[in-house]
Amino acid sequence: MQIRISWPAGQLTATLEETPTSTALMGALPLVSTAHTWGEEVYFDTPVSVAVEPDARQVVDPGTVAFWTEGDALALPYGPTPISRGEECRLASPCNVLGRFDGDPRLLATVRSGDPVRVERVDPA
């Protein structure tokens, strides 16, 4: 499953694993939301509400597409957050891991808080 996340200054595609959360997210697409930033993480609200999955993690690799169940939000870390130790990507709390960005996640640095964000499915060619 692939999604495209776009904002005024750019876009990235991501490949998602088959999980209960990614399936719920795909069913809610396309969606438009408002970006928020937290250190080197972009997050935004979604209409999806799911439970924490057994393999949820708080520390993830840059470029991970994660779902923050406490905020019903996609969490997209590309570097350290205010609670990181060193250079790790530490999310606010354990999040469901959905997949990874296909391109350079540092492109997310061009997202500004308040930017409109659109998430849509990418159909296979």
Side-chain angles (χ1 to χ4, degrees):
M1 295 187 289
Q2 271 198 313
I3 59 171
R4 177 181 302 108
I5 300 174
S6 51
W7 60 96
Q11 67 176 21
L12 280 167
T13 60
T15 301
L16 306 185
E17 303 297 323
E18 296 268 353
T19 70
T21 304
S22 62
T23 301
L25 177 66
M26 294 299 278
L29 298 182
L31 70 87
V32 176
S33 192
T34 301
H36 305 281
T37 58
W38 187 57
E40 293 186 6
E41 175 189 311
V42 174
Y43 69 97
F44 49 87
D45 298 336
T46 74
V48 177
S49 186
V50 294
V52 174
E53 293 177 11
D55 61 348
R57 299 200 321 261
Q58 188 170 14
V59 176
V60 297
D61 293 329
T64 297
V65 177
F67 191 86
W68 182 40
T69 59
E70 292 175 26
D72 294 340
L74 274 178
L76 312 173
Y78 58 92
T81 66
I83 60 170
S84 291
R85 297 179 187 137
E87 293 301 303
E88 71 183 9
C89 294
R90 182 176 292 266
L91 303 166
S93 58
C95 293
N96 296 342
V97 174
L98 307 187
R100 294 198 49 77
F101 281 108
D102 303 321
D104 183 357
R106 297 218 48 92
L107 193 57
L108 290 168
T110 64
V111 178
R112 298 289 167 249
S113 213
D115 276 355
V117 180
R118 179 177 170 85
V119 185
E120 57 199 343
R121 79 175 52 230
V122 176
D123 293 318

